[in-house]
Amino acid sequence: MFRTALRNVLAHKARLLMTVLAVMLGVAFVSGTLVFTNSLSTALQNSSAKGFDQVDVAVRPKGREDKGDTVGKTPELTQALLDRSARVPGAASAFGVVRGFTALADKDGKLIGGGFQSEGGNYWGTKDPRYPLVSGHAPSGRGEVLIDSETAKRAGYKVGDRVRMSVDGPVLTPTVAGVFTTDDGNVAAGGSLTLFDTATAQQLFGKPGTYDEIDVTAAAGTSQTALKAALDRALPRDTVETTTGRQLADDQAEIIASSMSGLKQGLLVFAGIALFVGTFIIANTFTMLVAQRTKELALLRAVGASRRQVTRSVLVEAFVVGAVAGVAGLVAGIGIGAGLKALMGTLGATVPDGPLVVSPGTVATALVVGVVVTMLAAWLPGRRAAKIPPVAAMSSVHAKATTKSLVLRNTIGALFSAAGVAVVLAATTMQGSDGQAPMGFGAVLLIIGVFVLTPLLSRPLIAAAAPVLRAFGVSGRLARQNSVRNPRRTAATASALMIGLTLITGMTVMAGSLQTSIDKMASAAIRADYVVSMANGNELSPDVERTLKKTDGVTLTSPLRNAPSRIDGQTEYLTGVNGAAIGELTDLTVEEGSFTVGGDRVVVDDETAKAHDWTAGSHFTVHYEDGKAQQLTVAGVYRGNDMIHGIMLDTARLAPHQRDAADMQVMVKTADGASGAVKDRLEKALGANPAIKVQDKKDISNEIAKMFTLMLNMLYGLLAMAVIVAVLGVINTLAMSVFERSQEIGMLRAIGLERTGIKRMVRLESLVISLFGGVLGIGLGVFFGWAAGELLGTRMPTYELVLPWGRMAVFLLLAAVVGVLAALWPARRAARLNMLQAIKSE
C-alpha cells in the first residue's frame, strides 16, 4: 500500500502541484513571519544590550504611591544622592542621566525620527564614555548641542551647522558642537538623539538640579551584584531602587520580545487564514483524486486491502505532499523574512544590523504545519473512500450523495448558522469589550454554518445568473449546469474566496464607519478653528498658549491641561481650561445645569458624574498634587466623548497647585476662521516649529483617515495571500474538473461545439463560481461589519453604519477577475483536448 501511495503521488504530479502551492504559500507566510520577527527581535536586543555596557548598577526613583487623599510625589534624584553613590565602596565612578523628548528638524524643516523616536539627553562632563565623539567637542550652554552620527549622516549636518529643535514648544537654534556614536536602540531604528550639557538638559527638561537616573560603574574586581548590595546599604531604600546593568539588559530584551509578540501574533493570524483557505483546496483536490481512483481503490479492497490501509494510502500521499510543501514553504519563508526586513528599511523604519535568524523552532513549525494541515484536510476524503463497498465502487452506485446525507448536512449547517446569528445578535446588545469574545465565537459558528450550507445555497444563487448566461448560448447553459452538477465541489471552491472577501469587506465597513463617526465627533465637539499639539503627543509648554494669545487675529484660546488629583480616595485627572473661553471653543451637549467654568465651579462629563453620584449643584473635595485640599461645585454635567471628557476647572484655580505646568493641547479661535493664510500665520508665530502641529477640523479628520487607510492597506496586503490561495483553488478545481469531463468535452467537440465555445464554457463556469463566493463573502462581511459597529456604538454615540458601495462593487469585480484569470489555463487545456482520445478516455 505504501508503494501504491507513492506511485499515485508521482503519477499525479500536475494535479497535486496546485495543492503543493497552496500549502507552500501558507507555510511560507508562517515561517516568514517567524524568521522576520526573530531576526528583528534579536537585532534589537543585541543593540539595546550594548547600551548598558557602561552601566554596572542603575539607581532610579521609586514610583509614587497614592495613599488616602494624598497624590503621591515621585522621589527626586538629587546631586547629593549622586555624590553619595560615587563614594560607595566598590564604585569607580557615577554620573547623572537626564532625558526627555527633543524634536530635531532636518534642513527642510521636517521632523526627524517620527516624533516618538526623537530623544534628548545630557553629555556628562568633557568626555562621556557612553557617547564617543567622532568630531567636535563637548557641548556648553544652550547654544551648543551634540547629534548622533546616524542623524548627522541622514540630515547632512556637520560640526558648526545651526539646527532647529524644540523640547516642549519654543524653537531652539543651537550650533552643532560635535557628532558622537551610540548603540541606542531608537537611533538604530531610525530615530535621533541630541545631547546638551547637564545643566542645560536639566533646565530644558524641567528637572533643575535633579536626574532621571544615576548610573554607577564598578571598580576593578567588584561585581555588579556586590556593587548593588553596597548601594542598597548606602542609599535610602524607601525612595530609590537599584538594578544591575545585566538585569536592565535582560528586562529590555523581555520588553522587546513582548512587543514583538504582538506583531508576530498578528501576522500569524493572517497566515492561519491563508492555511485555513488552503484546507478547502486540499480537501477538494483529494476528494477529486479519490473519486477518480474509486475503481482502483475498490480493486485494492477486493484483493484484500482493509479500510484502514486504503485510508492510510491516501494519508501517505498527503504526507508526501505536505512534506514537499513544508520544505518549499520554509525556503520561501526565509526569503519572505529577509524581504520584510529589507522592506522596513525602504519605508524609512531602519532596523539594527543583524543576521537572519532561522531557529530550529521555525524549521519544525514549517514542516509540522505543512504536513499536519495537509493530512487533516485529506483524512475525510480518504475515510469516505474507504467506506465505499468494493462492489458499489465498481458500479459507481456511490457517485451521488444520498438524500439522508444531504438532509443531515443541511440540518447541521442550518443549526450552526442560526446559532451563529443568535450569538452575534446577542453580543451586539452587550457593552464594549464584554461582547468581543461572544461576537468572535458567533462569527466562527456562522462561517462554519454557511460553509456547510453552501451546496444548498449554490443552486438558487447560481440559478439567478441563468438569464445572463443564456445570452452566451450553449456555452452559457452548459456552464450553469456544470456549476451545480457537483454542489459540494462548487461550495468548497467558492468558500475559499468567500472567507477572504468576508474579512476584507467587514474591515472596510468598520473602517469607513469609524472614520465617519470620528469626523462627526470632531465637528460636534469642537468649535475652535484650530487645535495645537505636539507632533508626538507629548506636553506643550505654557509659553505656546501665551504666544498664540498675542498673535494677530486670535480672539480666544484655551489650554487643555491634565493634572492628577485625589477625590474620594481615588485618582482622578483634572483638565485645566480657560473658563471664560472654553464654552465658545467647544460644542458639548449639557445634560444638567450649565456649562460654567470659573472660580470653584467646574463641569463634569456624564461618566465621571455617574461614577461619583454627582449632579448639578453637588459639592466635592479635591486634593491637588501639592497636597492641598479644596471644595469644588459641579455647575453642569456634559456628555463626554473620546476627544473631550473629564473634570474641567479654570487654570487660574489649578495652576497654583502645579509644580511643572504643561498643556496637552491648545484650542484657538480666530477672527478670520480657518484658512491657509491664518494657519501659516499661527505656524510662523510659533517659529515654524517642527515639533508642533497646527490642525483645523479637516486636518484632524485627514490625519485619522490616513491612519485608517494605512491600516486597511496593510490588512489588504496580508489578506492578499488568502485571495491568492483561493485563486489557486479555483484553478485546481477547474483543471481537475476538465480532466474528469474529458469524455464529455470530447463528445461536445464531436457534435459541433467549437474550441472557442469550450473555452467560453469553462470561463463562464469559473466566473459563476467566483461571483457566488464573492456575493456570499460580501454579504457576510457587511453583516459582521454591522454587528461590530453596534458593539462599538455602545461606547461611541456618534457611530453610524456607512456601507462603502463603491469598494464593495470593486470587491465583486475582484471576484469576477479572479474567476476569469483562474480559468485561463483550464479553458485552454480543455479546448486543446483531442476529441477522439477524449471520447475513448475513462
Side-chain angles (χ1 to χ4, degrees):
M1 293 300 295
F2 181 74
R3 288 195 297 272
T4 302
L6 291 180
R7 181 186 60 79
N8 284 324
V9 172
L10 297 174
H12 303 129
K13 291 187 291 288
R15 300 185 212 174
L16 291 170
L17 178 62
M18 295 300 172
T19 304
V20 171
L21 284 174
V23 181
M24 184 197 78
L25 284 174
V27 172
F29 206 160
V30 171
S31 54
T33 295
L34 295 175
V35 168
F36 168 64
T37 52
N38 289 343
S39 301
L40 187 59
S41 180
T42 301
L44 289 172
Q45 286 175 15
N46 291 341
S47 176
S48 67
K50 290 179 183 177
F52 298 108
D53 287 348
Q54 301 295 328
V55 182
D56 286 314
V57 178
V59 180
R60 293 173 171 176
K62 278 191 173 179
R64 69 184 182 192
E65 294 182 5
D66 296 337
K67 297 177 181 178
D69 289 322
T70 303
V71 178
K73 183 181 177 183
T74 302
E76 294 179 340
L77 300 181
T78 62
Q79 183 65 38
L81 275 175
L82 174 63
D83 295 338
R84 193 188 304 180
S85 300
R87 292 194 299 267
V88 166
S93 62
F95 51 87
V97 178
V98 184
R99 59 173 70 96
F101 170 70
T102 303
L104 178 66
D106 60 20
K107 290 187 175 181
D108 296 325
K110 295 180 180 178
L111 184 64
I112 296 173
F116 70 95
Q117 294 174 331
S118 301
E119 294 292 331
N122 67 312
Y123 188 84
W124 190 256
T126 57
K127 189 175 182 181
D128 193 327
R130 298 171 299 170
Y131 308 113
L133 287 174
V134 175
S135 58
H137 57 82
S140 176
R142 292 176 69 107
E144 292 188 341
V145 69
L146 302 181
I147 60 175
D148 68 89
S149 57
E150 289 297 320
T151 299
K153 189 187 303 180
R154 286 195 293 267
Y157 286 132
K158 61 184 184 298
V159 175
D161 288 345
R162 293 187 76 83
V163 294
R164 294 177 63 80
M165 61 173 55
S166 171
V167 173
D168 60 357
V171 175
L172 305 173
T173 55
T175 301
V176 177
V179 176
F180 63 91
T181 59
T182 178
D183 293 314
D184 186 278
N186 280 331
V187 173
S192 64
L193 178 62
T194 53
L195 302 176
F196 305 90
D197 68 79
T198 300
T200 301
Q202 289 174 326
Q203 183 184 11
L204 289 175
F205 299 139
K207 303 159 187 173
T210 64
Y211 304 96
D212 292 301
E213 181 176 305
I214 296 172
D215 290 343
V216 186
T217 55
T222 304
S223 68
Q224 291 186 355
T225 306
L227 178 59
K228 179 182 183 302
L231 286 166
D232 286 340
R233 289 191 296 270
L235 302 179
R237 298 292 300 278
D238 57 333
T239 58
V240 300
E241 57 188 6
T242 59
T243 312
T244 63
R246 190 177 300 106
Q247 184 61 49
L248 288 173
D250 292 342
D251 292 344
Q252 186 70 18
E254 190 175 331
I255 291 170
I256 292 171
S258 177
S259 63
M260 293 302 299
S261 69
L263 174 64
K264 183 185 295 186
Q265 288 171 8
L267 291 173
L268 287 176
V269 165
F270 289 95
I273 292 168
L275 282 169
F276 183 61
V277 171
T279 58
F280 292 111
I281 300 172
I282 300 164
N284 227 12
T285 302
F286 276 92
T287 298
M288 288 185 280
L289 286 173
V290 168
Q292 291 168 15
R293 289 164 35 213
T294 301
K295 291 186 179 180
E296 175 189 327
L297 295 175
L299 183 60
L300 289 172
R301 288 291 311 284
V303 297
S306 66
R307 287 183 179 182
R308 285 186 178 180
Q309 286 179 308
V310 170
T311 304
R312 284 175 190 164
S313 70
V314 176
L315 291 178
V316 166
E317 292 181 50
F319 176 83
V320 173
V321 170
V324 171
V327 172
L330 175 61
V331 173
I334 294 171
I336 289 174
L340 285 173
K341 194 175 176 186
L343 180 63
M344 287 189 71
T346 61
L347 295 176
T350 310
V351 296
D353 292 332
L356 211 59
V357 179
V358 184
S359 66
T362 300
V363 176
T365 300
L367 295 177
V368 169
V369 166
V371 171
V372 170
V373 168
T374 309
M375 291 183 71
L376 284 176
W379 175 76
L380 190 59
R383 184 172 177 272
R384 192 184 300 134
K387 291 175 69 175
I388 301 171
V391 176
M394 290 291 190
S395 58
S396 298
V397 175
H398 67 288
K400 291 186 178 180
T402 63
T403 303
K404 181 181 177 182
S405 69
L406 291 175
V407 169
L408 178 63
R409 179 184 179 117
N410 294 336
T411 302
I412 292 173
L415 289 173
F416 268 86
S417 298
V421 170
V423 173
V424 169
L425 291 178
T428 60
T429 64
M430 299 178 183
Q431 291 293 319
S433 58
D434 294 340
Q436 290 178 2
M439 185 167 288
F441 178 64
V444 171
L445 287 178
L446 181 54
I447 288 176
I448 293 172
V450 171
F451 168 66
V452 176
L453 281 177
T454 308
L456 179 66
L457 298 173
S458 64
R459 290 186 178 276
L461 287 177
I462 292 176
V468 178
L469 292 174
R470 286 196 200 101
F472 294 94
V474 174
S475 297
R477 289 195 295 274
L478 288 171
R480 186 183 67 81
Q481 291 170 4
N482 290 334
S483 300
V484 296
R485 177 186 294 183
N486 191 332
R488 291 187 177 183
R489 182 188 303 170
T490 298
T493 306
S495 294
L497 191 59
M498 175 192 79
I499 291 170
L501 286 179
T502 295
L503 295 168
I504 290 173
T505 305
M507 288 186 300
T508 304
V509 170
M510 281 282 298
S513 300
L514 278 171
Q515 173 66 49
T516 302
S517 304
I518 292 171
D519 287 351
K520 284 177 64 179
M521 185 187 297
S523 60
I526 301 173
R527 281 186 192 166
D529 295 319
Y530 292 97
V531 176
V532 179
S533 61
M534 291 290 278
N536 69 329
N538 272 17
E539 297 174 329
L540 286 163
S541 166
D543 292 341
V544 172
E545 196 223 349
R546 288 192 281 269
T547 301
L548 290 168
K549 192 180 290 187
K550 298 175 186 174
T551 304
D552 290 341
V554 173
T555 57
L556 292 173
T557 64
S558 174
L560 291 179
R561 180 178 300 175
N562 285 352
S565 71
R566 297 288 284 182
I567 300 172
D568 297 334
Q570 298 177 11
T571 299
E572 290 283 359
Y573 276 84
L574 306 174
T575 302
V577 297
N578 181 348
I582 193 65
E584 296 295 321
L585 296 169
T586 58
D587 190 13
L588 299 165
T589 302
V590 179
E591 298 187 339
E592 283 185 64
S594 62
F595 200 85
T596 305
V597 181
D600 64 350
R601 296 172 68 80
V602 302
V603 291
V604 183
D605 72 286
D606 50 347
E607 292 292 332
T608 304
K610 183 179 178 182
H612 290 278
D613 199 23
W614 292 337
T615 59
S618 295
H619 303 283
F620 64 92
T621 301
V622 60
H623 295 261
Y624 296 106
E625 59 183 313
D626 64 354
K628 294 182 180 178
Q630 193 170 58
Q631 190 175 71
L632 301 176
T633 302
V634 178
V637 177
Y638 66 92
R639 187 181 302 158
N641 55 51
D642 287 342
M643 300 188 73
I644 300 177
H645 55 86
I647 303 170
M648 291 189 196
L649 76 164
D650 199 291
T651 50
R653 181 56 56 100
L654 178 63
H657 304 286
Q658 289 186 288
R659 180 183 174 218
D660 300 313
D663 303 328
M664 293 306 297
Q665 294 178 339
V666 177
M667 291 185 172
V668 181
K669 197 167 187 63
T670 61
D672 300 327
S675 68
V678 173
K679 184 176 180 179
D680 289 342
R681 191 190 313 154
L682 295 178
E683 289 178 340
K684 188 175 180 181
L686 294 170
N689 195 317
I692 296 180
K693 296 187 294 187
V694 179
Q695 296 176 299
D696 59 19
K697 288 187 225 179
K698 187 177 179 183
D699 293 329
I700 294 172
S701 232
N702 289 340
E703 186 175 60
I704 296 168
K706 282 181 184 177
M707 288 167 44
F708 280 117
T709 302
L710 177 63
M711 178 189 71
L712 267 183
N713 289 339
M714 288 175 61
L715 294 175
Y716 287 161
L718 293 169
L719 285 171
M721 186 71 73
V723 175
I724 292 171
V725 174
V727 171
L728 291 174
V730 178
I731 296 173
N732 213 16
T733 299
L734 290 173
M736 302 192 77
S737 177
V738 166
F739 180 84
E740 275 188 348
R741 303 202 309 263
S742 296
Q743 193 174 56
E744 175 188 319
I745 292 170
M747 289 295 294
L748 289 171
R749 292 276 289 113
I751 61 176
L753 189 62
E754 297 180 350
R755 287 185 174 181
T756 54
I758 295 292
K759 285 182 180 180
R760 190 180 300 118
M761 175 187 74
V762 176
R763 287 170 184 163
L764 288 173
E765 179 184 350
S766 175
L767 185 63
V768 167
I769 292 173
S770 297
L771 286 175
F772 169 51
V775 168
L776 285 180
I778 292 171
L780 283 174
V782 169
F783 175 70
F784 290 140
W786 166 82
E790 288 294 301
L791 196 60
L792 271 175
T794 60
R795 304 183 69 176
M796 188 180 287
T798 57
Y799 185 87
E800 66 171 278
L801 180 68
V802 177
L803 294 181
W805 296 105
R807 291 208 175 193
M808 289 194 292
V810 170
F811 296 155
L812 198 59
L813 181 63
L814 173 66
V817 170
V818 165
V820 171
L821 293 177
L824 291 177
W825 178 63
R828 184 167 175 269
R829 182 183 177 191
R832 295 180 65 181
L833 283 175
N834 183 294
M835 70 178 73
L836 294 178
Q837 290 180 353
I839 290 171
K840 289 190 295 180
S841 66
E842 295 186 4

